[in-house]
Amino acid sequence: MTEIFEKLQQKSRAVWQSLRDRPLILVGTATCGRAAGALEILKVIKEELVKHGIDAQVLEVGCMGHCYAEPLVTVYKPGFPPISYGYVTAGIAGRLVEDFLAGDDPCLEFALAALEANDMVPALTDFPRGMIERPIILDKCGLIDPEQIEHYIALGGYAALATALAREPGWVVEEIKASGLRGRGGAGFPTGRKWETCRLAPGEEKYVICNADEGDPGAFMDRAILESNPHEVLEGLAIAAYTVGARRGYFYIRAEYPLAVERVKKAIEQARRAGLLGTNILGSGFSFDVDVFQGSGAFVCGEETALIASMEGEPGLPRHRPPFPATAGLRGRPTVINNVKTLAYVPHIIERGAQWFRETGTAGSPGTAVFALAGKVINTGLAEVPMGTTLRQLVYDVGSGIPKGKSFKAVQIGGPSGGCLPEAALDMPIDFDSLSQAGAMMGSGGMVILDEDDCMVEIARFFLDFTQKESCGKCTMCRLGTRQMLDILEAITKGQGRPGDIELLLELAEDVKSGSLCGLGKTAPNPVLSTIRYFRDEYEAHIKERRCPALMCRELIAYYILPEKCERSCDACVGSCPVEAIYPNEDRIKVIDQQKCVKCASCLEACPPQYKAVIKLSPPELVAERGATNRG
Amino acid sequence: MHLTEEEKKVALEQTGNILESYSRERGNLIPILQQVQEKLGYVPLVAMEEVARHLGMPPVDVYSVATFYNQFRLIPPGKHQIKVCMGTACHMKGGNIILDCWKRRLSIDVNQVTPDREFSLERVACVGCCTMAPVTVIDEEVHGRVTPTRVDGLLFSFGVKIPKGQQKEGEAIGRE
């Protein structure tokens, strides 16, 4: 067995080595890169290389996690450290080819950072962010071509599978148990125990499923991993299959991720051709194959039993547990379902040992956590940090803080199952247990940073609206309780809240929690509970004063142009208004027709920063007061 | 939405072709519906009946699956499909304002198609491009950091002219 694998490794290393003998350009073309125009950059680079007659390799790679700086281009040129360039435009791409590859000027004015420490350019590890991050599963993302299995193997990939196959399945279970790995889908259930249950469950036919139904709004790490390094997850799945004794496995990927589906399919195809899937893998006698099942857009299908129902051709309704899927899952057979990230950790643990994994993170939650930073933070993107890192480090060191000089208000963590944590929680070390104590949840690791302009009642309403729409309808409390809560929240954000609404919400929240079968309903009230717990005063301002302190709730605000600041000769706001609600009065001071205004904030954005004449007022009645002076 | 006889015929034909490659197991239901939608752009009633016959199950069960999942569209989409992301990050950065913009410019509501069947409008839960919020996906192409004026620009790139100054509430947009 080792012989076959060694041959594969040798061949792969040769492919990897051959990349190094001439200049190499990596272009990040994961979905985030594409949204920023990476495909256009790729085209420009290829054209420029031809134009200058340069012999260089161009590779499409995944996401390095520095999504804020997309499109990202990394250049390896012999004699220089590998340098990443961010915010690349067609012009910069052209310069890189002309000045750096044809000439010898590394265009450092466009450089984001070098990938390795050197004397010329600061490296990623020299920044505060680089000191906190400990990439394990994101390690190769953005540095290898996800569509070439050789790259993954050359950097140590599939060695863990070979190691596992040479041992007893029981050994793998013990190793995973010893590592303390907990499910990264959100609940944090010990992976080793799940595997052991399934391994010991009676039954000839067993299944393993990779759960890539990442439905949390605000989370994108599973997508990024599948797009950037699908083999890592596939290897983890194969090890899981060997451990529990499954011959078939599935990737359950949500349909909104077409690129992830495509890359996983390619990865499976390549692994089959390399003899890493199929019959008698690496001559070990173990046979295993994988299919892709596309989810069809139902958030509840992230829940194991609902996921299984959908694979069986039913509406995705969760069912009572036990029996757990590990003993009676897909088609009634023992089934292990793990999240993308959980599986991605497996090869690393097998390769480097349980002890090594325990060295990172906290005692109760070993290892690292992958967070997707989004919202009001300067450096949005993915970050992998040790469990127990504080929120402050994540927001201020990794994320570089809040943009536009605004102040931090809260971080929404864990999607609709999670909650909002206030400034006071910034120094809390985050892991599975500390988060649930604070009334939030790890969830899958989506983190949306909110600043002073974000209304906490509105965010609670947003999540309730989401869970209400996504409730499968099986449990009455989840179906109707969330509806009632949503109605109350909607009324509050429209300024129609009544005294006693907060208490009613708290009561309903308890009922929905206890009266629901699956995680969707049990956690649905979390955003409401945590915002009431930490931001009760905002609820009260909405109810008692019909005022939105964050100036966000559209029914409770009005846009207003300060006459003393409006510049007569400037018409920027007039041109930007999509509904022609702004007109100049007889003094050429701009005025907003409140009846026509759709509150889209275009004028606020358009007003040149030196004037800052457009403001928001809450409650909207304030306009009438101001309006009097406006005319006079 | 009214389907022409021709459309029904095409739907039946295509569905038949797809069913040939699937065994009669219920587990194939969602992949089959996905295939039908990929081919036709939607899942018409006649196709659902045909699928039910193939899998030996009541048509109402097929209907219940097709309506349970957000992915399945029961009416033909527009030539250009506009999907506005409603994820958390997009919402906090004004996703609903962008959705309103599309609604206003196309004079249709969510899950509707313009009368000329050029554009259809949908909202999606999250496309995982949170760092580019707010996001609109047009025909698989992701557009990040969309603003109301960008909506006009995107429409312009499809040859749609926004009649500046004359458009009234609910008035359809003009095409060149």
Side-chain angles (χ1 to χ4, degrees), chain A residues 472-503:
Chain A
C472 78
K474 183 169 180 166
C475 308
T476 316
M477 279 323 293
C478 178
R479 182 178 69 244
L480 298 177
T482 54
R483 176 78 249 173
Q484 294 300 324
M485 292 177 77
L486 178 60
D487 285 348
I488 297 172
L489 286 166
E490 250 161 24
I492 296 177
T493 55
K494 285 182 181 161
Q496 295 154 4
R498 286 171 305 195
D501 272 356
I502 299 179
E503 290 69 28

Side-chain angles (χ1 to χ4, degrees), chain A residues 31 35 217-218 220 223 254-255 294-297 310 312-316 380 458 462-463 470 554 578-580 598 602, chain B residues 26-27 29-30 34 65 68-71 86-88 91 93 97 100 104-105 126 128-131 142 148 164-165:
Chain A
T31 304
F220 50 91
R223 168 186 71 67
R254 67 193 291 242
Q294 287 191 48
S296 5
S310 76
E312 291 171 346
E314 307 272 348
T380 52
E458 168 58 23
F462 166 76
F463 280 113
E470 291 294 335
R554 273 207 272 174
V579 290
E580 322 264 323
V598 291
S602 289
Chain B
R26 182 160 182 164
L29 177 55
I30 289 175
Q34 284 169 337
V65 166
F68 181 86
Y69 295 99
N70 298 327
Q71 187 192 11
M86 284 288 145
T88 319
H91 178 74
K93 288 200 170 176
I97 288 171
D100 282 353
R104 194 162 50 236
R105 288 306 187 219
C126 182
C129 265
C130 313
T131 55
V142 181
K164 241 330 190 189

Side-chain angles (χ1 to χ4, degrees), chain A residues 249-271:
Chain A
Y250 298 91
F251 272 90
Y252 188 101
I253 310 178
R254 67 193 291 242
E256 286 90 338
Y257 289 171
L259 187 63
V261 171
E262 188 188 316
R263 289 195 168 159
V264 168
K265 280 186 174 164
K266 274 194 185 140
I268 293 172
E269 196 47 52
Q270 290 168 353

Side-chain angles (χ1 to χ4, degrees), chain A residues 28-63:
Chain A
T29 58
T31 304
C32 41
R34 289 178 184 205
L39 292 180
E40 172 67 21
I41 301 299
L42 186 72
K43 210 176 100 205
V44 170
I45 290 178
K46 283 183 176 165
E47 283 168 5
E48 288 290 313
L49 285 174
V50 174
K51 206 157 88 189
H52 291 274
I54 299 169
D55 178 29
Q57 273 253 47
V58 184
L59 286 186
E60 285 187 49
V61 296
C63 175

Side-chain angles (χ1 to χ4, degrees), chain B residues 94-127:
Chain B
N96 52 346
I97 288 171
I98 302 304
L99 183 65
D100 282 353
C101 249
W102 287 110
K103 281 196 216 167
R104 194 162 50 236
R105 288 306 187 219
L106 298 172
S107 299
I108 53 171
D109 211 333
V110 177
N111 291 332
Q112 287 184 348
V113 186
T114 51
D116 58 3
R117 290 207 189 173
E118 278 293 318
F119 298 97
S120 53
L121 185 61
E122 283 167 65
R123 47 182 295 163
V124 288
C126 182
V127 293

